[in-house]
Amino acid sequence: MDQHIAESIGRPDLVRLDDRLVCLRFETMKVVSALAAVGHLLDTGVVRRGDTLLDSSSGIYAYALALACHRHGMHCHIVGSTTVDHTLRTQLAVLGATLTQMEPCDDLKLDQKRRVERIHEILAEHPEYHWMRQYHDDIHYLGYRAVADRIREATGADGLTLVGGVGSGASTGALARYLRTGTDGPANGEADVELVGVQPYGSVTFGAEHVLDPEIIIAGIGSSIPFGNVSHELYDVLHWVSFDAALAGSVDLLRRHAVFAGLSTGAGYLAARHERERSPERTVLFIAADTGHRYVDTVYARHREVAPIAHFAPREVSDQGRLALPWSRMRWNRAPAALPAPLDRVRSG
């Protein structure tokens, strides 16, 4: 029996949607990483019960950290994006978390930069706070080991293609690493697991900042600054997906398979379907990081105007200079980062 609701919320469902197409469906994915990270900090004496944990978030991590703090008797302070909606603000308030929300801003890149600046201001005022650094501290990998074990048990590891939004790098990076090096892998110690990352246009993580989506950068899976938790050398393939294509994917996923999920999941679903058609011998698993409730007005209310997913196909490119809307695909081949990692990258083991 679970001892706290966060443990239940963080446990994903594995759903076979079609032949060789599997959905790893979370209610709120980052609860997995937040719970494990806070537990590790407590176990190693970095923080104590009653301390305040601080971080920046566009939404999902804010809720996850608030739940982890509630579970472990900590205080939570979130510097939130302009995208934090009324429902989440109310949840955070009732959970006892402090929310400092950025002023309305049409530029989510600027919003992200301002959030980091505000973090530094708060730390200057309260040096006793612990900054979680979800983007740079690889303690956020730890919680995904159990998820990888469950995937391996249900689907096996060899011949598996994992698809997910890159974001901070923790979920896809950790799952790929744990799945490849699991105890039941081949004799050479690494199972045949391909990692396919999904990015929005405008994100710097894999060099697409020069191509802007006229609608919006998909919050949560892209970035305007380099993230230390993204291990570029883990990724085999990248897909850049526009808002319009991700919108079509989200609606089709609900209509065809009754999976109600967020916009990044719609992008991952499109990429996963394409990878399955390219590799008929492989099982393809894609990550659904959250439910679709906060996307009702911005995504699902537009379901009647959405083009069928058959209207979208990726443009195959050999370098980022050839990227083009609405959807591009490129072999990354586990290359190192094109951009230097941040100087404050943390390694906590």
Side-chain angles (χ1 to χ4, degrees):
M1 182 181 297
D2 294 324
Q3 301 304 306
H4 191 274
I5 189 63
E7 297 162 8
S8 175
I9 290 174
R11 187 181 303 111
D13 302 310
L14 273 167
V15 184
R16 187 174 298 279
L17 303 185
D18 211 336
D19 180 42
R20 299 179 295 102
L21 184 64
V22 178
C23 178
L24 181 69
R25 185 261 186 194
F26 291 87
E27 182 174 339
T28 304
M29 181 182 69
K30 289 192 176 181
V31 172
V32 174
S33 56
L35 272 179
V38 174
H40 179 78
L41 291 171
L42 285 166
D43 290 344
T44 55
V46 176
V47 299
R48 296 177 297 178
R49 289 175 65 88
D51 285 354
T52 296
L53 304 183
L54 170 71
D55 215 343
S56 165
S57 173
S58 61
I60 298 177
Y61 187 79
Y63 181 50
L65 186 59
L67 286 172
C69 287
H70 190 278
R71 167 70 176 83
H72 291 291
M74 317 287 289
H75 298 290
C76 177
H77 190 145
I78 296 294
V79 176
S81 168
T82 61
T83 59
V84 174
D85 61 18
H86 173 71
T87 299
L88 179 54
R89 289 196 300 270
T90 303
Q91 287 177 294
L92 293 175
V94 175
L95 285 168
T98 299
L99 172 65
T100 301
Q101 188 169 10
M102 294 294 96
E103 293 296 323
C105 176
D106 293 332
D107 187 345
L108 290 185
K109 292 183 178 182
L110 178 60
D111 174 73
Q112 194 170 50
K113 180 176 181 290
R114 289 165 58 200
R115 280 188 277 140
V116 174
E117 291 172 349
R118 184 65 183 123
I119 287 281
H120 286 290
E121 292 172 357
I122 293 171
L123 287 172
E125 298 166 4
H126 298 279
E128 74 279 10
Y129 287 6
H130 180 82
W131 184 12
M132 291 298 293
R133 301 189 188 191
Q134 64 151 322
Y135 305 128
H136 306 302
D137 192 335
D138 66 358
I139 59 172
H140 292 89
Y141 275 46
L142 299 176
Y144 293 101
R145 184 184 296 275
V147 179
D149 290 342
R150 187 173 176 204
I151 293 171
R152 186 184 299 107
E153 180 181 347
T155 69
D158 276 335
L160 179 68
T161 297
L162 172 67
V163 180
V166 177
S168 70
S171 60
T172 49
L175 288 172
R177 185 171 290 169
Y178 292 141
L179 284 167
R180 286 170 180 167
T181 59
T183 56
D184 60 349
N188 65 7
E190 183 165 301
D192 176 18
V193 176
E194 287 203 344
L195 179 56
V196 177
V198 179
Q199 284 271 273
Y201 292 94
S203 174
V204 307
T205 307
F206 286 91
E209 61 271 23
H210 59 291
V211 183
L212 300 181
D213 189 334
E215 284 274 3
I216 190 172
I217 185 171
I218 304 173
I221 66 170
S223 176
S224 63
I225 58 175
F227 286 166
N229 271 341
V230 178
S231 296
H232 293 70
E233 66 276 8
L234 294 174
Y235 294 84
D236 297 285
V237 175
L238 290 171
H239 286 253
W240 288 268
V241 182
S242 71
F243 177 89
D244 287 340
L247 173 65
S250 297
V251 171
D252 189 86
L253 180 60
L254 179 57
R255 182 175 289 140
R256 189 187 304 260
H257 298 291
V259 176
F260 185 45
L263 193 61
S264 65
T265 301
Y269 169 65
L270 281 185
R273 287 175 57 91
H274 181 77
E275 294 300 323
R276 183 187 61 163
E277 295 308 311
R278 290 181 65 96
S279 303
E281 75 285 0
R282 303 182 69 84
T283 295
V284 180
L285 180 147
F286 70 97
I287 299 171
D290 62 348
T291 65
H293 294 87
R294 67 183 182 132
Y295 301 93
V296 169
D297 293 333
T298 56
V299 174
Y300 290 100
R302 300 170 60 175
H303 67 93
R304 290 184 180 86
E305 66 189 67
V306 172
I309 59 170
H311 289 193
F312 296 93
R315 170 189 173 98
E316 294 289 334
V317 301
S318 57
D319 61 73
Q320 293 94 324
R322 299 177 181 274
L323 293 176
L325 296 167
W327 182 4
S328 297
R329 178 186 186 273
M330 187 177 85
R331 292 290 310 179
W332 185 259
N333 297 320
R334 306 191 189 185
L339 295 169
L343 295 178
D344 64 346
R345 181 167 181 160
V346 178
R347 284 284 164 188
S348 301

